Amino acid sequence: MKGEIFPLLGGRRENCAPNKTSVKSVKPAGWFRYVIVLLVCCGFIMDYILRMNISFALDSDMVAAPEHCTENETRCWSQEQQGYVLSSFFWGYWATQLPGAVICCYFGASKVFGIGLFIAILATFLCPFISGVNFWLFIALRLFIGLGQGVTFPVALNIIATWAPTSQFATFSALSSGGQYLGAVLANSVSGLLASGSFLEGWPSLFYVYGGCGVLWALLWFVFVRDDPATSYWTSNAEREYLAATTVPKKAVQISEIPWKSILKSGRFRSTCVMHMCNGYGFFMLLSDIPKFMIEVLQYNMKDSGFIASLPYVMIYLGYTSGGYFSDLLIRNGILSKTWTRKFCSVAAQIIPAILLAAMAYCENNVPILILLNITMYFQGYANLCYYVNYVDLSPRFSVILCGIGNGLSAVAGILGPIAVGFLVNDVDPDDYEKLHERWKIAFLSASAVWMFGSVQYCVFGSAEVQPWNSHGLEEETSVRDEDIMYTDVEA
């Protein structure tokens, strides 16, 4: 399969529900596909823990306060420098989005996912040592961690497509990629305790403990996960036959068949990318800086802020799972077309949070700020139901390439959020609460404006219809046959 992207999704109609006459029923068999979903979910948990642990380390005693800096102090970093540390991950993260999709042409999706994340895990162990050697060397290390993790999102789409029956595709996607939010919950709940404790000297434990958990995950991943159920040692014959009959038809795509020019010229695809980028700016800003906001503005201590900061990610996970069910319900029952369902999710994910974030900027009391923040994050859970699935809507065959481009651009936007916050609060005295709150207000209002723009332009220009260039390189008869065949199981 060298030189091919394998497997990519087959085509689907824009229809609200499949044609009942084209559905073939088969009996479910086996259980190992659920192990795959669990391991992908755990991979995303590790992915987000490894990118978030630095936020808690910076807000502990990892960095010396300016008044305590000495000539020999190697971690005397200003707020602006800390902003660069937080964003440096995304400098590498964006760079391997598209290359990751292409690399899996040669090595397979499961190997690329596992090796990429394992590289980030090993690099995590070096963070305490390198941070004490040189600031820019530490920036380079965080960038390297981002490079390893950049392949995960686009490649995971391939893995789930291989192991998910048609009737469970949305559920498997939500359960697996939802691990990112569970990782955020775990990081915010545990990191404060580790950083403020004495185990492994406090903040270094954030890198050693999470790195150790990552090594355990990697061992399980390389033992159990394969690209295809047919080559898996752990899948029963009955389950192999069931998955062969019920997974979405796949087409191996030659790299030379990818219509790069048509993809880049597509207004529908560009609109989805803009929405993805706008969401990334605000979301990654909150992801990286919520612990800092909790401590500096809401004035919670490290131990308390860890538990409180986890609540927004519980809400976003609930929004993701409930929103997925609700959007499928709208399409399945013919209440809204697929295009209007995606636009509805865009309004829920960005316009509503934009209004709430703007309101939060003017609040002076902790309680309403926390309430608005949690509601905002719940609706942010609808975001993946816009752009992530929309790449499959626009081009089932080339969805991994589209996701690689879009997620890479979103990561670029994610670089700007933490830098903007660091720039705004760099020259503010931590004890000057009024001025600090004013600067955070600017950060929130900027994210609100970006979110609003992203959703409005998508509502005008976005679409969930399969684009003409999706069939590039396919004969018409083959394309139509795969779009018409759908499978389900007798219990669905």
Coordinates of all heavy atoms in Angstrom, one line a residue, residues 23-57:
V23 N -29.9 -0.2 2.4 CA -29.3 -0.6 3.6 C -29.3 -2.1 3.7 O -30.4 -2.8 3.6 CB -30.1 0.0 4.8 CG1 -29.5 -0.5 6.1 CG2 -30.0 1.5 4.8
K24 N -28.2 -2.7 4.0 CA -28.0 -4.1 4.2 C -27.8 -4.4 5.7 O -26.9 -3.8 6.3 CB -26.9 -4.7 3.4 CG -27.1 -4.5 1.9 CD -26.0 -5.1 1.1 CE -26.2 -5.0 -0.4 NZ -25.2 -5.6 -1.2
S25 N -28.6 -5.3 6.3 CA -28.5 -5.5 7.7 C -27.6 -6.8 8.0 O -27.7 -7.8 7.3 CB -29.9 -5.8 8.3 OG -30.7 -4.6 8.2
V26 N -26.7 -6.6 8.9 CA -25.9 -7.8 9.3 C -25.9 -7.8 10.9 O -26.1 -6.8 11.5 CB -24.5 -7.6 8.8 CG1 -24.4 -7.8 7.3 CG2 -23.9 -6.3 9.2
K27 N -25.5 -8.9 11.4 CA -25.5 -9.1 12.8 C -24.2 -8.6 13.4 O -23.1 -9.0 13.0 CB -25.8 -10.5 13.2 CG -26.0 -10.8 14.7 CD -26.3 -12.2 15.0 CE -26.5 -12.5 16.5 NZ -26.9 -13.9 16.8
P28 N -24.2 -7.8 14.5 CA -23.0 -7.4 15.1 C -22.2 -8.6 15.7 O -22.8 -9.6 16.2 CB -23.4 -6.5 16.3 CG -24.8 -6.1 15.9 CD -25.4 -7.2 15.2
A29 N -20.9 -8.5 15.7 CA -20.0 -9.5 16.2 C -18.8 -8.9 16.8 O -18.3 -7.9 16.3 CB -19.7 -10.6 15.1
G30 N -18.2 -9.5 17.8 CA -17.0 -9.1 18.4 C -17.0 -7.9 19.2 O -18.1 -7.2 19.3
W31 N -15.9 -7.6 19.9 CA -15.8 -6.4 20.8 C -14.5 -5.7 20.7 O -14.4 -4.6 21.3 CB -16.0 -6.9 22.2 CG -15.0 -8.1 22.5 CD1 -15.3 -9.4 22.5 CD2 -13.6 -8.0 22.9 NE1 -14.2 -10.2 22.8 CE2 -13.1 -9.3 23.1 CE3 -12.8 -6.9 23.2 CZ2 -11.8 -9.6 23.4 CZ3 -11.5 -7.2 23.5 CH2 -11.0 -8.5 23.7
F32 N -13.5 -6.2 19.9 CA -12.2 -5.6 19.9 C -12.2 -4.1 19.4 O -11.3 -3.3 19.7 CB -11.2 -6.4 19.2 CG -9.8 -6.0 19.4 CD1 -9.2 -6.2 20.6 CD2 -9.1 -5.4 18.4 CE1 -7.9 -5.8 20.8 CE2 -7.8 -5.0 18.6 CZ -7.2 -5.2 19.8
R33 N -13.2 -3.8 18.5 CA -13.2 -2.4 18.0 C -13.4 -1.4 19.1 O -12.9 -0.3 19.0 CB -14.3 -2.3 17.0 CG -15.7 -2.6 17.5 CD -16.7 -2.7 16.3 NE -18.1 -3.0 16.8 CZ -18.5 -4.2 17.0 NH1 -17.7 -5.2 16.9 NH2 -19.8 -4.4 17.4
Y34 N -14.0 -1.8 20.2 CA -14.2 -0.9 21.4 C -12.9 -0.7 22.1 O -12.6 0.4 22.6 CB -15.2 -1.4 22.3 CG -16.6 -1.6 21.7 CD1 -17.1 -2.8 21.3 CD2 -17.4 -0.5 21.5 CE1 -18.3 -3.0 20.8 CE2 -18.7 -0.6 20.9 CZ -19.1 -1.8 20.6 OH -20.4 -2.0 20.0
V35 N -12.0 -1.7 22.1 CA -10.6 -1.5 22.6 C -9.9 -0.5 21.8 O -9.2 0.4 22.4 CB -9.9 -2.8 22.6 CG1 -8.4 -2.6 23.1 CG2 -10.6 -3.8 23.5
I36 N -10.0 -0.5 20.5 CA -9.4 0.5 19.6 C -9.9 1.9 19.9 O -9.1 2.8 20.1 CB -9.6 0.2 18.1 CG1 -9.1 -1.2 17.8 CG2 -9.0 1.2 17.2 CD1 -7.6 -1.4 17.9
V37 N -11.2 2.0 20.1 CA -11.7 3.3 20.4 C -11.2 3.8 21.8 O -10.8 5.0 21.9 CB -13.3 3.3 20.5 CG1 -13.8 4.6 21.0 CG2 -13.8 3.0 19.1
L38 N -11.1 2.9 22.7 CA -10.6 3.3 24.1 C -9.1 3.8 24.0 O -8.7 4.8 24.6 CB -10.7 2.1 25.0 CG -10.1 2.3 26.4 CD1 -10.9 3.4 27.1 CD2 -10.2 1.0 27.2
L39 N -8.3 3.1 23.2 CA -6.9 3.4 23.1 C -6.7 4.7 22.3 O -5.8 5.5 22.6 CB -6.1 2.3 22.4 CG -5.9 1.0 23.3 CD1 -5.3 -0.1 22.4 CD2 -5.0 1.4 24.5
V40 N -7.5 5.0 21.3 CA -7.5 6.3 20.6 C -7.9 7.4 21.6 O -7.3 8.4 21.6 CB -8.4 6.3 19.4 CG1 -8.4 7.7 18.7 CG2 -7.9 5.3 18.3
C41 N -8.9 7.1 22.4 CA -9.4 8.1 23.4 C -8.2 8.4 24.4 O -8.0 9.6 24.7 CB -10.6 7.6 24.1 SG -11.2 8.6 25.4
C42 N -7.6 7.3 24.8 CA -6.5 7.5 25.8 C -5.3 8.3 25.1 O -4.6 9.0 25.8 CB -6.0 6.2 26.3 SG -7.2 5.4 27.4
G43 N -5.1 8.0 23.8 CA -4.1 8.8 23.1 C -4.4 10.3 23.1 O -3.5 11.1 23.3
F44 N -5.6 10.6 22.9 CA -6.0 12.0 22.9 C -5.9 12.6 24.3 O -5.6 13.8 24.5 CB -7.4 12.2 22.4 CG -7.4 12.3 20.9 CD1 -8.1 11.4 20.1 CD2 -6.8 13.4 20.2 CE1 -8.1 11.4 18.7 CE2 -6.8 13.4 18.8 CZ -7.5 12.5 18.1
I45 N -6.2 11.8 25.3 CA -6.0 12.2 26.7 C -4.6 12.6 27.0 O -4.2 13.7 27.5 CB -6.5 11.1 27.7 CG1 -8.0 11.0 27.7 CG2 -6.0 11.5 29.1 CD1 -8.5 9.8 28.5
M46 N -3.6 11.7 26.5 CA -2.2 12.0 26.7 C -1.8 13.2 25.9 O -1.0 14.1 26.3 CB -1.4 10.8 26.3 CG -1.5 9.6 27.2 SD -1.2 9.9 28.9 CE 0.4 10.8 28.8
D47 N -2.4 13.3 24.7 CA -2.1 14.5 23.8 C -2.3 15.8 24.5 O -1.5 16.7 24.5 CB -2.9 14.3 22.5 CG -2.7 15.4 21.5 OD1 -3.0 16.6 21.8 OD2 -2.2 15.1 20.4
Y48 N -3.5 15.9 25.1 CA -3.8 17.2 25.8 C -3.1 17.4 27.1 O -2.8 18.5 27.5 CB -5.4 17.3 25.9 CG -5.9 18.1 24.7 CD1 -5.8 17.6 23.4 CD2 -6.6 19.3 24.9 CE1 -6.3 18.3 22.4 CE2 -7.1 20.0 23.9 CZ -7.0 19.5 22.6 OH -7.5 20.2 21.5
I49 N -2.9 16.3 27.8 CA -2.2 16.5 29.1 C -0.8 17.0 28.8 O -0.3 17.9 29.5 CB -2.1 15.1 29.9 CG1 -3.5 14.8 30.5 CG2 -1.0 15.2 30.9 CD1 -3.5 13.5 31.2
L50 N -0.1 16.5 27.8 CA 1.3 16.9 27.5 C 1.4 18.3 27.0 O 2.4 18.9 27.1 CB 1.9 15.9 26.5 CG 2.0 14.4 26.9 CD1 2.8 13.6 25.9 CD2 2.8 14.4 28.3
R51 N 0.3 18.8 26.4 CA 0.4 20.2 26.0 C -0.1 21.2 27.1 O 0.3 22.4 27.0 CB -0.5 20.4 24.7 CG -2.0 20.5 24.9 CD -2.7 20.9 23.7 NE -2.6 19.8 22.6 CZ -3.2 19.9 21.5 NH1 -4.0 20.9 21.2 NH2 -3.1 18.9 20.6
M52 N -0.8 20.7 28.1 CA -1.3 21.6 29.1 C -0.5 21.6 30.4 O -0.6 22.6 31.1 CB -2.8 21.2 29.5 CG -3.8 21.5 28.5 SD -5.5 21.0 29.1 CE -5.6 22.2 30.4
N53 N 0.4 20.6 30.6 CA 1.1 20.6 31.8 C 2.0 21.8 32.0 O 2.3 22.2 33.2 CB 1.9 19.3 32.0 CG 2.9 19.1 30.8 OD1 3.0 19.9 29.9 ND2 3.6 17.9 30.9
I54 N 2.5 22.4 30.9 CA 3.4 23.5 31.0 C 2.7 24.7 31.7 O 3.3 25.5 32.4 CB 4.0 23.9 29.7 CG1 5.0 25.0 29.8 CG2 2.8 24.4 28.7 CD1 6.2 24.6 30.6
S55 N 1.4 24.9 31.5 CA 0.6 26.0 32.1 C 0.7 25.9 33.6 O 0.9 27.0 34.2 CB -0.8 25.9 31.6 OG -1.0 26.1 30.2
F56 N 0.5 24.8 34.2 CA 0.6 24.6 35.6 C 2.0 24.8 36.1 O 2.2 25.3 37.2 CB 0.0 23.3 36.0 CG -1.5 23.3 36.0 CD1 -2.2 22.9 34.9 CD2 -2.2 23.7 37.1 CE1 -3.6 22.9 34.9 CE2 -3.6 23.8 37.1 CZ -4.3 23.3 36.0
A57 N 3.0 24.3 35.3 CA 4.4 24.4 35.8 C 4.8 25.9 35.8 O 5.4 26.3 36.8 CB 5.3 23.7 34.8

